[in-house]
PDB file of all heavy atoms in Angstrom:
ATOM      1  N   GLN A   1       3.482  -1.516  -8.573  1.00 96.00           N
ATOM      2  CA  GLN A   1       3.973  -0.155  -8.428  1.00 96.00           C
ATOM      3  C   GLN A   1       2.877   0.891  -8.231  1.00 96.00           C
ATOM      4  O   GLN A   1       3.028   2.052  -8.619  1.00 96.00           O
ATOM      5  CB  GLN A   1       4.856   0.235  -9.619  1.00 96.00           C
ATOM      6  CG  GLN A   1       6.141  -0.544  -9.685  1.00 96.00           C
ATOM      7  CD  GLN A   1       7.065  -0.047 -10.786  1.00 96.00           C
ATOM      8  OE1 GLN A   1       6.672   0.626 -11.726  1.00 96.00           O
ATOM      9  NE2 GLN A   1       8.345  -0.408 -10.673  1.00 96.00           N
ATOM     10  N   ALA A   2       1.784   0.522  -7.598  1.00 96.00           N
ATOM     11  CA  ALA A   2       0.643   1.432  -7.436  1.00 96.00           C
ATOM     12  C   ALA A   2       1.020   2.738  -6.746  1.00 96.00           C
ATOM     13  O   ALA A   2       0.519   3.800  -7.122  1.00 96.00           O
ATOM     14  CB  ALA A   2      -0.469   0.729  -6.650  1.00 96.00           C
ATOM     15  N   PHE A   3       1.882   2.692  -5.738  1.00 95.00           N
ATOM     16  CA  PHE A   3       2.283   3.904  -5.022  1.00 95.00           C
ATOM     17  C   PHE A   3       3.766   4.202  -5.249  1.00 95.00           C
ATOM     18  O   PHE A   3       4.360   4.973  -4.491  1.00 95.00           O
ATOM     19  CB  PHE A   3       2.010   3.750  -3.525  1.00 95.00           C
ATOM     20  CG  PHE A   3       0.538   3.672  -3.195  1.00 95.00           C
ATOM     21  CD1 PHE A   3      -0.037   2.459  -2.835  1.00 95.00           C
ATOM     22  CD2 PHE A   3      -0.273   4.784  -3.250  1.00 95.00           C
ATOM     23  CE1 PHE A   3      -1.381   2.373  -2.541  1.00 95.00           C
ATOM     24  CE2 PHE A   3      -1.610   4.714  -2.954  1.00 95.00           C
ATOM     25  CZ  PHE A   3      -2.185   3.501  -2.602  1.00 95.00           C
ATOM     26  N   TYR A   4       4.356   3.634  -6.273  1.00 94.00           N
ATOM     27  CA  TYR A   4       5.776   3.785  -6.552  1.00 94.00           C
ATOM     28  C   TYR A   4       6.139   5.266  -6.644  1.00 94.00           C
ATOM     29  O   TYR A   4       5.510   6.036  -7.348  1.00 94.00           O
ATOM     30  CB  TYR A   4       6.130   3.095  -7.874  1.00 94.00           C
ATOM     31  CG  TYR A   4       7.608   3.192  -8.204  1.00 94.00           C
ATOM     32  CD1 TYR A   4       8.510   2.279  -7.696  1.00 94.00           C
ATOM     33  CD2 TYR A   4       8.077   4.208  -9.007  1.00 94.00           C
ATOM     34  CE1 TYR A   4       9.861   2.361  -8.010  1.00 94.00           C
ATOM     35  CE2 TYR A   4       9.419   4.305  -9.316  1.00 94.00           C
ATOM     36  CZ  TYR A   4      10.309   3.391  -8.804  1.00 94.00           C
ATOM     37  OH  TYR A   4      11.636   3.486  -9.090  1.00 94.00           O
ATOM     38  N   GLY A   5       7.177   5.635  -5.903  1.00 93.00           N
ATOM     39  CA  GLY A   5       7.697   6.999  -5.978  1.00 93.00           C
ATOM     40  C   GLY A   5       6.896   8.043  -5.211  1.00 93.00           C
ATOM     41  O   GLY A   5       7.178   9.222  -5.317  1.00 93.00           O
ATOM     42  N   CYS A   6       5.923   7.621  -4.417  1.00 94.00           N
ATOM     43  CA  CYS A   6       5.129   8.574  -3.635  1.00 94.00           C
ATOM     44  C   CYS A   6       5.879   8.860  -2.340  1.00 94.00           C
ATOM     45  O   CYS A   6       5.479   8.436  -1.253  1.00 94.00           O
ATOM     46  CB  CYS A   6       3.738   8.009  -3.346  1.00 94.00           C
ATOM     47  SG  CYS A   6       2.728   7.817  -4.806  1.00 94.00           S
ATOM     48  N   SER A   7       6.971   9.605  -2.449  1.00 93.00           N
ATOM     49  CA  SER A   7       7.834   9.838  -1.292  1.00 93.00           C
ATOM     50  C   SER A   7       7.179  10.685  -0.219  1.00 93.00           C
ATOM     51  O   SER A   7       7.606  10.671   0.940  1.00 93.00           O
ATOM     52  CB  SER A   7       9.146  10.477  -1.733  1.00 93.00           C
ATOM     53  OG  SER A   7       8.893  11.702  -2.383  1.00 93.00           O
ATOM     54  N   SER A   8       6.136  11.429  -0.559  1.00 93.00           N
ATOM     55  CA  SER A   8       5.444  12.261   0.435  1.00 93.00           C
ATOM     56  C   SER A   8       4.259  11.537   1.077  1.00 93.00           C
ATOM     57  O   SER A   8       3.542  12.143   1.888  1.00 93.00           O
ATOM     58  CB  SER A   8       5.004  13.576  -0.180  1.00 93.00           C
ATOM     59  OG  SER A   8       4.087  13.343  -1.221  1.00 93.00           O
ATOM     60  N   LEU A   9       4.048  10.276   0.736  1.00 94.00           N
ATOM     61  CA  LEU A   9       2.940   9.519   1.288  1.00 94.00           C
ATOM     62  C   LEU A   9       3.120   9.356   2.796  1.00 94.00           C
ATOM     63  O   LEU A   9       4.141   8.881   3.276  1.00 94.00           O
ATOM     64  CB  LEU A   9       2.898   8.135   0.627  1.00 94.00           C
ATOM     65  CG  LEU A   9       1.737   7.205   1.008  1.00 94.00           C
ATOM     66  CD1 LEU A   9       0.415   7.802   0.537  1.00 94.00           C
ATOM     67  CD2 LEU A   9       1.937   5.834   0.393  1.00 94.00           C
ATOM     68  N   THR A  10       2.130   9.794   3.571  1.00 94.00           N
ATOM     69  CA  THR A  10       2.201   9.681   5.028  1.00 94.00           C
ATOM     70  C   THR A  10       1.141   8.759   5.602  1.00 94.00           C
ATOM     71  O   THR A  10       1.300   8.217   6.697  1.00 94.00           O
ATOM     72  CB  THR A  10       2.070  11.059   5.721  1.00 94.00           C
ATOM     73  OG1 THR A  10       0.838  11.651   5.355  1.00 94.00           O
ATOM     74  CG2 THR A  10       3.235  11.960   5.328  1.00 94.00           C
ATOM     75  N   SER A  11       0.017   8.584   4.884  1.00 95.00           N
ATOM     76  CA  SER A  11      -1.015   7.673   5.382  1.00 95.00           C
ATOM     77  C   SER A  11      -1.868   7.159   4.245  1.00 95.00           C
ATOM     78  O   SER A  11      -2.015   7.791   3.203  1.00 95.00           O
ATOM     79  CB  SER A  11      -1.879   8.349   6.440  1.00 95.00           C
ATOM     80  OG  SER A  11      -2.673   9.352   5.871  1.00 95.00           O
ATOM     81  N   ILE A  12      -2.410   5.961   4.486  1.00 96.00           N
ATOM     82  CA  ILE A  12      -3.389   5.346   3.622  1.00 96.00           C
ATOM     83  C   ILE A  12      -4.590   5.035   4.503  1.00 96.00           C
ATOM     84  O   ILE A  12      -4.439   4.346   5.511  1.00 96.00           O
ATOM     85  CB  ILE A  12      -2.867   4.046   2.980  1.00 96.00           C
ATOM     86  CG1 ILE A  12      -1.643   4.328   2.100  1.00 96.00           C
ATOM     87  CG2 ILE A  12      -3.965   3.334   2.199  1.00 96.00           C
ATOM     88  CD1 ILE A  12      -0.933   3.071   1.614  1.00 96.00           C
ATOM     89  N   THR A  13      -5.731   5.593   4.180  1.00 97.00           N
ATOM     90  CA  THR A  13      -6.935   5.310   4.957  1.00 97.00           C
ATOM     91  C   THR A  13      -7.691   4.178   4.288  1.00 97.00           C
ATOM     92  O   THR A  13      -8.081   4.285   3.118  1.00 97.00           O
ATOM     93  CB  THR A  13      -7.814   6.567   5.067  1.00 97.00           C
ATOM     94  OG1 THR A  13      -7.047   7.617   5.671  1.00 97.00           O
ATOM     95  CG2 THR A  13      -9.052   6.288   5.889  1.00 97.00           C
ATOM     96  N   PHE A  14      -7.864   3.096   5.017  1.00 97.00           N
ATOM     97  CA  PHE A  14      -8.562   1.907   4.514  1.00 97.00           C
ATOM     98  C   PHE A  14      -9.812   1.687   5.346  1.00 97.00           C
ATOM     99  O   PHE A  14      -9.733   1.532   6.567  1.00 97.00           O
ATOM    100  CB  PHE A  14      -7.627   0.687   4.620  1.00 97.00           C
ATOM    101  CG  PHE A  14      -8.248  -0.594   4.174  1.00 97.00           C
ATOM    102  CD1 PHE A  14      -8.675  -0.757   2.858  1.00 97.00           C
ATOM    103  CD2 PHE A  14      -8.428  -1.629   5.059  1.00 97.00           C
ATOM    104  CE1 PHE A  14      -9.257  -1.947   2.435  1.00 97.00           C
ATOM    105  CE2 PHE A  14      -9.013  -2.831   4.657  1.00 97.00           C
ATOM    106  CZ  PHE A  14      -9.424  -2.979   3.335  1.00 97.00           C
ATOM    107  N   ASN A  15     -10.957   1.698   4.722  1.00 98.00           N
ATOM    108  CA  ASN A  15     -12.240   1.567   5.430  1.00 98.00           C
ATOM    109  C   ASN A  15     -12.597   0.115   5.685  1.00 98.00           C
ATOM    110  O   ASN A  15     -13.697  -0.345   5.377  1.00 98.00           O
ATOM    111  CB  ASN A  15     -13.357   2.277   4.665  1.00 98.00           C
ATOM    112  CG  ASN A  15     -13.166   3.766   4.617  1.00 98.00           C
ATOM    113  OD1 ASN A  15     -12.740   4.347   5.595  1.00 98.00           O
ATOM    114  ND2 ASN A  15     -13.428   4.379   3.482  1.00 98.00           N
ATOM    115  N   GLY A  16     -11.662  -0.607   6.261  1.00 97.00           N
ATOM    116  CA  GLY A  16     -11.835  -2.002   6.630  1.00 97.00           C
ATOM    117  C   GLY A  16     -10.891  -2.322   7.772  1.00 97.00           C
ATOM    118  O   GLY A  16     -10.122  -1.481   8.232  1.00 97.00           O
ATOM    119  N   THR A  17     -10.936  -3.542   8.214  1.00 97.00           N
ATOM    120  CA  THR A  17     -10.109  -3.974   9.338  1.00 97.00           C
ATOM    121  C   THR A  17      -8.678  -4.274   8.921  1.00 97.00           C
ATOM    122  O   THR A  17      -8.380  -4.388   7.740  1.00 97.00           O
ATOM    123  CB  THR A  17     -10.693  -5.251   9.968  1.00 97.00           C
ATOM    124  OG1 THR A  17     -10.625  -6.299   8.989  1.00 97.00           O
ATOM    125  CG2 THR A  17     -12.136  -5.058  10.432  1.00 97.00           C
ATOM    126  N   MET A  18      -7.809  -4.410   9.911  1.00 97.00           N
ATOM    127  CA  MET A  18      -6.441  -4.776   9.645  1.00 97.00           C
ATOM    128  C   MET A  18      -6.359  -6.148   8.989  1.00 97.00           C
ATOM    129  O   MET A  18      -5.534  -6.362   8.088  1.00 97.00           O
ATOM    130  CB  MET A  18      -5.606  -4.746  10.944  1.00 97.00           C
ATOM    131  CG  MET A  18      -5.404  -3.331  11.476  1.00 97.00           C
ATOM    132  SD  MET A  18      -4.267  -3.230  12.880  1.00 97.00           S
ATOM    133  CE  MET A  18      -5.271  -3.925  14.190  1.00 97.00           C
ATOM    134  N   ALA A  19      -7.214  -7.073   9.379  1.00 97.00           N
ATOM    135  CA  ALA A  19      -7.243  -8.399   8.778  1.00 97.00           C
ATOM    136  C   ALA A  19      -7.596  -8.309   7.293  1.00 97.00           C
ATOM    137  O   ALA A  19      -6.990  -9.001   6.447  1.00 97.00           O
ATOM    138  CB  ALA A  19      -8.207  -9.309   9.504  1.00 97.00           C
ATOM    139  N   LEU A  20      -8.567  -7.458   6.943  1.00 97.00           N
ATOM    140  CA  LEU A  20      -8.924  -7.280   5.543  1.00 97.00           C
ATOM    141  C   LEU A  20      -7.771  -6.653   4.772  1.00 97.00           C
ATOM    142  O   LEU A  20      -7.503  -7.047   3.624  1.00 97.00           O
ATOM    143  CB  LEU A  20     -10.173  -6.397   5.403  1.00 97.00           C
ATOM    144  CG  LEU A  20     -11.502  -7.058   5.737  1.00 97.00           C
ATOM    145  CD1 LEU A  20     -12.628  -6.019   5.721  1.00 97.00           C
ATOM    146  CD2 LEU A  20     -11.817  -8.195   4.798  1.00 97.00           C
ATOM    147  N   TRP A  21      -7.073  -5.693   5.369  1.00 97.00           N
ATOM    148  CA  TRP A  21      -5.908  -5.093   4.702  1.00 97.00           C
ATOM    149  C   TRP A  21      -4.866  -6.150   4.412  1.00 97.00           C
ATOM    150  O   TRP A  21      -4.325  -6.214   3.330  1.00 97.00           O
ATOM    151  CB  TRP A  21      -5.314  -3.974   5.548  1.00 97.00           C
ATOM    152  CG  TRP A  21      -4.043  -3.453   4.920  1.00 97.00           C
ATOM    153  CD1 TRP A  21      -2.767  -3.814   5.251  1.00 97.00           C
ATOM    154  CD2 TRP A  21      -3.939  -2.561   3.824  1.00 97.00           C
ATOM    155  NE1 TRP A  21      -1.872  -3.188   4.441  1.00 97.00           N
ATOM    156  CE2 TRP A  21      -2.561  -2.407   3.531  1.00 97.00           C
ATOM    157  CE3 TRP A  21      -4.857  -1.858   3.062  1.00 97.00           C
ATOM    158  CZ2 TRP A  21      -2.087  -1.583   2.525  1.00 97.00           C
ATOM    159  CZ3 TRP A  21      -4.388  -1.041   2.060  1.00 97.00           C
ATOM    160  CH2 TRP A  21      -3.030  -0.916   1.789  1.00 97.00           C
ATOM    161  N   ASN A  22      -4.577  -6.970   5.397  1.00 96.00           N
ATOM    162  CA  ASN A  22      -3.549  -8.003   5.230  1.00 96.00           C
ATOM    163  C   ASN A  22      -3.941  -9.051   4.207  1.00 96.00           C
ATOM    164  O   ASN A  22      -3.054  -9.712   3.637  1.00 96.00           O
ATOM    165  CB  ASN A  22      -3.207  -8.629   6.579  1.00 96.00           C
ATOM    166  CG  ASN A  22      -2.464  -7.656   7.471  1.00 96.00           C
ATOM    167  OD1 ASN A  22      -1.675  -6.843   7.018  1.00 96.00           O
ATOM    168  ND2 ASN A  22      -2.714  -7.743   8.766  1.00 96.00           N
ATOM    169  N   ALA A  23      -5.235  -9.192   3.950  1.00 97.00           N
ATOM    170  CA  ALA A  23      -5.707 -10.178   2.971  1.00 97.00           C
ATOM    171  C   ALA A  23      -5.638  -9.653   1.528  1.00 97.00           C
ATOM    172  O   ALA A  23      -5.771 -10.432   0.575  1.00 97.00           O
ATOM    173  CB  ALA A  23      -7.138 -10.589   3.305  1.00 97.00           C
ATOM    174  N   ILE A  24      -5.420  -8.351   1.352  1.00 97.00           N
ATOM    175  CA  ILE A  24      -5.355  -7.776   0.018  1.00 97.00           C
ATOM    176  C   ILE A  24      -4.102  -8.298  -0.692  1.00 97.00           C
ATOM    177  O   ILE A  24      -3.016  -8.305  -0.142  1.00 97.00           O
ATOM    178  CB  ILE A  24      -5.308  -6.223   0.071  1.00 97.00           C
ATOM    179  CG1 ILE A  24      -6.637  -5.689   0.612  1.00 97.00           C
ATOM    180  CG2 ILE A  24      -4.989  -5.624  -1.291  1.00 97.00           C
ATOM    181  CD1 ILE A  24      -6.614  -4.183   0.872  1.00 97.00           C
ATOM    182  N   VAL A  25      -4.290  -8.729  -1.930  1.00 97.00           N
ATOM    183  CA  VAL A  25      -3.166  -9.165  -2.747  1.00 97.00           C
ATOM    184  C   VAL A  25      -2.447  -7.917  -3.240  1.00 97.00           C
ATOM    185  O   VAL A  25      -3.056  -7.025  -3.845  1.00 97.00           O
ATOM    186  CB  VAL A  25      -3.645 -10.006  -3.951  1.00 97.00           C
ATOM    187  CG1 VAL A  25      -2.476 -10.356  -4.859  1.00 97.00           C
ATOM    188  CG2 VAL A  25      -4.359 -11.258  -3.473  1.00 97.00           C
ATOM    189  N   LYS A  26      -1.154  -7.838  -2.961  1.00 96.00           N
ATOM    190  CA  LYS A  26      -0.379  -6.653  -3.326  1.00 96.00           C
ATOM    191  C   LYS A  26       0.665  -7.028  -4.365  1.00 96.00           C
ATOM    192  O   LYS A  26       1.455  -7.946  -4.161  1.00 96.00           O
ATOM    193  CB  LYS A  26       0.260  -6.046  -2.077  1.00 96.00           C
ATOM    194  CG  LYS A  26      -0.798  -5.580  -1.073  1.00 96.00           C
ATOM    195  CD  LYS A  26      -0.199  -5.255   0.277  1.00 96.00           C
ATOM    196  CE  LYS A  26      -1.280  -4.931   1.282  1.00 96.00           C
ATOM    197  NZ  LYS A  26      -1.908  -6.136   1.864  1.00 96.00           N
ATOM    198  N   GLY A  27       0.653  -6.293  -5.480  1.00 96.00           N
ATOM    199  CA  GLY A  27       1.606  -6.541  -6.561  1.00 96.00           C
ATOM    200  C   GLY A  27       3.027  -6.204  -6.157  1.00 96.00           C
ATOM    201  O   GLY A  27       3.240  -5.452  -5.207  1.00 96.00           O
ATOM    202  N   ASN A  28       3.958  -6.728  -6.909  1.00 95.00           N
ATOM    203  CA  ASN A  28       5.371  -6.443  -6.654  1.00 95.00           C
ATOM    204  C   ASN A  28       5.604  -4.930  -6.653  1.00 95.00           C
ATOM    205  O   ASN A  28       5.070  -4.215  -7.481  1.00 95.00           O
ATOM    206  CB  ASN A  28       6.264  -7.067  -7.706  1.00 95.00           C
ATOM    207  CG  ASN A  28       6.295  -8.567  -7.606  1.00 95.00           C
ATOM    208  OD1 ASN A  28       6.082  -9.134  -6.545  1.00 95.00           O
ATOM    209  ND2 ASN A  28       6.580  -9.220  -8.708  1.00 95.00           N
ATOM    210  N   TYR A  29       6.417  -4.496  -5.714  1.00 94.00           N
ATOM    211  CA  TYR A  29       6.846  -3.100  -5.613  1.00 94.00           C
ATOM    212  C   TYR A  29       5.681  -2.132  -5.444  1.00 94.00           C
ATOM    213  O   TYR A  29       5.812  -0.954  -5.776  1.00 94.00           O
ATOM    214  CB  TYR A  29       7.716  -2.714  -6.833  1.00 94.00           C
ATOM    215  CG  TYR A  29       8.803  -3.696  -7.129  1.00 94.00           C
ATOM    216  CD1 TYR A  29       8.748  -4.514  -8.252  1.00 94.00           C
ATOM    217  CD2 TYR A  29       9.890  -3.831  -6.264  1.00 94.00           C
ATOM    218  CE1 TYR A  29       9.758  -5.431  -8.507  1.00 94.00           C
ATOM    219  CE2 TYR A  29      10.887  -4.746  -6.514  1.00 94.00           C
ATOM    220  CZ  TYR A  29      10.821  -5.544  -7.624  1.00 94.00           C
ATOM    221  OH  TYR A  29      11.808  -6.463  -7.891  1.00 94.00           O
ATOM    222  N   TRP A  30       4.561  -2.583  -4.929  1.00 95.00           N
ATOM    223  CA  TRP A  30       3.389  -1.718  -4.800  1.00 95.00           C
ATOM    224  C   TRP A  30       3.705  -0.486  -3.963  1.00 95.00           C
ATOM    225  O   TRP A  30       3.108   0.562  -4.174  1.00 95.00           O
ATOM    226  CB  TRP A  30       2.198  -2.485  -4.236  1.00 95.00           C
ATOM    227  CG  TRP A  30       2.305  -2.773  -2.755  1.00 95.00           C
ATOM    228  CD1 TRP A  30       2.909  -3.845  -2.169  1.00 95.00           C
ATOM    229  CD2 TRP A  30       1.800  -1.968  -1.692  1.00 95.00           C
ATOM    230  NE1 TRP A  30       2.838  -3.768  -0.819  1.00 95.00           N
ATOM    231  CE2 TRP A  30       2.147  -2.612  -0.489  1.00 95.00           C
ATOM    232  CE3 TRP A  30       1.107  -0.778  -1.620  1.00 95.00           C
ATOM    233  CZ2 TRP A  30       1.814  -2.118   0.767  1.00 95.00           C
ATOM    234  CZ3 TRP A  30       0.757  -0.286  -0.380  1.00 95.00           C
ATOM    235  CH2 TRP A  30       1.119  -0.946   0.799  1.00 95.00           C
ATOM    236  N   ASN A  31       4.674  -0.590  -3.040  1.00 94.00           N
ATOM    237  CA  ASN A  31       5.001   0.553  -2.196  1.00 94.00           C
ATOM    238  C   ASN A  31       6.480   0.907  -2.253  1.00 94.00           C
ATOM    239  O   ASN A  31       7.029   1.451  -1.299  1.00 94.00           O
ATOM    240  CB  ASN A  31       4.558   0.297  -0.762  1.00 94.00           C
ATOM    241  CG  ASN A  31       5.318  -0.838  -0.091  1.00 94.00           C
ATOM    242  OD1 ASN A  31       6.023  -1.604  -0.743  1.00 94.00           O
ATOM    243  ND2 ASN A  31       5.153  -0.975   1.212  1.00 94.00           N
ATOM    244  N   SER A  32       7.137   0.657  -3.355  1.00 93.00           N
ATOM    245  CA  SER A  32       8.561   0.971  -3.521  1.00 93.00           C
ATOM    246  C   SER A  32       8.770   2.480  -3.589  1.00 93.00           C
ATOM    247  O   SER A  32       7.970   3.216  -4.190  1.00 93.00           O
ATOM    248  CB  SER A  32       9.118   0.343  -4.794  1.00 93.00           C
ATOM    249  OG  SER A  32       9.209  -1.048  -4.626  1.00 93.00           O
ATOM    250  N   ASN A  33       9.867   2.926  -3.021  1.00 93.00           N
ATOM    251  CA  ASN A  33      10.248   4.327  -3.051  1.00 93.00           C
ATOM    252  C   ASN A  33       9.175   5.256  -2.498  1.00 93.00           C
ATOM    253  O   ASN A  33       8.915   6.310  -3.048  1.00 93.00           O
ATOM    254  CB  ASN A  33      10.642   4.760  -4.462  1.00 93.00           C
ATOM    255  CG  ASN A  33      11.874   4.057  -4.940  1.00 93.00           C
ATOM    256  OD1 ASN A  33      12.749   3.700  -4.163  1.00 93.00           O
ATOM    257  ND2 ASN A  33      11.970   3.829  -6.243  1.00 93.00           N
ATOM    258  N   THR A  34       8.544   4.807  -1.418  1.00 93.00           N
ATOM    259  CA  THR A  34       7.553   5.644  -0.735  1.00 93.00           C
ATOM    260  C   THR A  34       8.155   6.138   0.571  1.00 93.00           C
ATOM    261  O   THR A  34       9.136   5.607   1.069  1.00 93.00           O
ATOM    262  CB  THR A  34       6.268   4.850  -0.418  1.00 93.00           C
ATOM    263  OG1 THR A  34       6.594   3.724   0.397  1.00 93.00           O
ATOM    264  CG2 THR A  34       5.565   4.403  -1.674  1.00 93.00           C
TER     265      THR A  34
END
């Protein structure tokens, strides 16, 4: 639930590649209700 409820979230800037982003382990509901 790292970003849970962040309904105004429009972007996440990640200083790495798309492959690195996809390799990140994401917890359950990390982006729920965004």
Side-chain angles (χ1 to χ4, degrees):
Q1 294 186 341
F3 294 105
Y4 181 86
C6 294
S7 59
S8 62
L9 184 65
T10 59
S11 69
I12 298 170
T13 301
F14 178 63
N15 294 321
T17 64
M18 290 187 286
L20 285 173
W21 174 263
N22 290 326
I24 293 173
V25 175
K26 297 167 186 82
N28 290 335
Y29 311 110
W30 75 273
N31 65 348
S32 289
N33 295 329
T34 58

